[in-house]
Amino acid sequence: MQKSYFLSDPQQADMREIPQEIEGLIITYFSQLRKDADNGWTNAYKKAEDFYCRFLNKVYGWNLYNSNYQKRNESDIDLATYDKSITVQVTAQKDYKKGKIEKTIKGFKNRKIKQGYKSLFIAFFEDLSESEKKNDFNDIEINFSNEKNILTPS
């Protein structure tokens, strides 16, 4: 029997292991994207945006599109729904994620709300460090909370 590289053999898999395998695959994928980005391959960012777009659409039933295909290097957001109810900033920020979060929230509030956008999520290639998780980015004005609006691979 050939080994599957995607998920365990469904006939032999313990259903509790499947989420762990999916999480492992996502972490592996983002690790490869990180290496690509570190080597200056800018299509790594586009791959991450496209991955998050498809993934969030499947998981949450959103209808996101990659806004960079319509307007290159859109400020403050990479993904959005057509009705502007949800936006996502995808970032490969490796260091000083706190600054990236603060800058993105500020830019969203200064520019995107005026354009009719309603909510912001920030998606990272990597998890936040323990010290970064302790920062308070909650913003009542845009209904932003650390737990709900910061997305990481695991």
Side-chain angles (χ1 to χ4, degrees):
M1 178 183 268
Q2 187 174 357
K3 168 95 171 118
S4 170
Y5 292 98
F6 297 103
L7 293 175
S8 294
D9 181 352
Q11 296 172 345
Q12 298 177 355
D14 179 347
M15 291 304 288
R16 293 170 295 192
E17 293 176 6
I18 291 174
Q20 293 170 340
E21 284 190 56
I22 292 170
E23 183 178 334
L25 290 168
I26 291 169
I27 290 169
T28 299
Y29 180 70
F30 275 96
S31 293
Q32 183 58 52
L33 288 179
R34 162 58 55 213
K35 290 176 189 171
D36 291 351
D38 288 348
N39 286 325
W41 298 350
T42 56
N43 75 340
Y45 306 113
K46 188 172 292 211
K47 284 182 179 181
E49 292 165 3
D50 290 341
F51 171 83
Y52 263 120
C53 187
R54 291 188 310 274
F55 183 73
L56 295 172
N57 285 341
K58 290 279 185 200
V59 170
Y60 295 113
W62 295 347
N63 189 25
L64 296 168
Y65 68 94
N66 189 330
S67 61
N68 289 310
Y69 289 121
Q70 293 182 347
K71 182 180 179 186
R72 194 170 177 90
N73 293 323
E74 176 84 25
S75 62
D76 311 311
I77 63 170
D78 295 305
L79 313 174
T81 55
Y82 290 98
D83 67 0
K84 298 183 177 185
S85 62
I86 300 168
T87 63
V88 181
Q89 169 68 47
V90 179
T91 180
Q93 186 84 23
K94 192 174 184 178
D95 301 314
Y96 197 59
K97 292 179 182 121
K98 177 182 184 229
K100 177 64 176 182
I101 294 168
E102 291 170 341
K103 180 181 172 198
T104 301
I105 290 172
K106 181 178 179 181
F108 182 83
K109 288 170 68 172
N110 289 339
R111 288 182 287 273
K112 297 304 173 191
I113 289 177
K114 294 174 189 169
Q115 296 173 14
Y117 292 98
K118 296 174 182 61
S119 66
L120 171 68
F121 292 82
I122 303 173
F124 285 93
F125 274 33
E126 303 160 325
D127 290 332
L128 300 180
S129 69
E130 289 305 314
S131 64
E132 290 166 331
K133 289 178 185 178
K134 293 178 183 175
N135 289 300
D136 181 8
F137 301 110
N138 299 318
D139 191 309
I140 296 169
E141 183 182 343
I142 60 169
N143 198 25
F144 189 95
S145 73
N146 292 23
E147 297 80 28
K148 184 182 84 170
N149 297 80
I150 298 174
L151 310 173
T152 60
S154 64

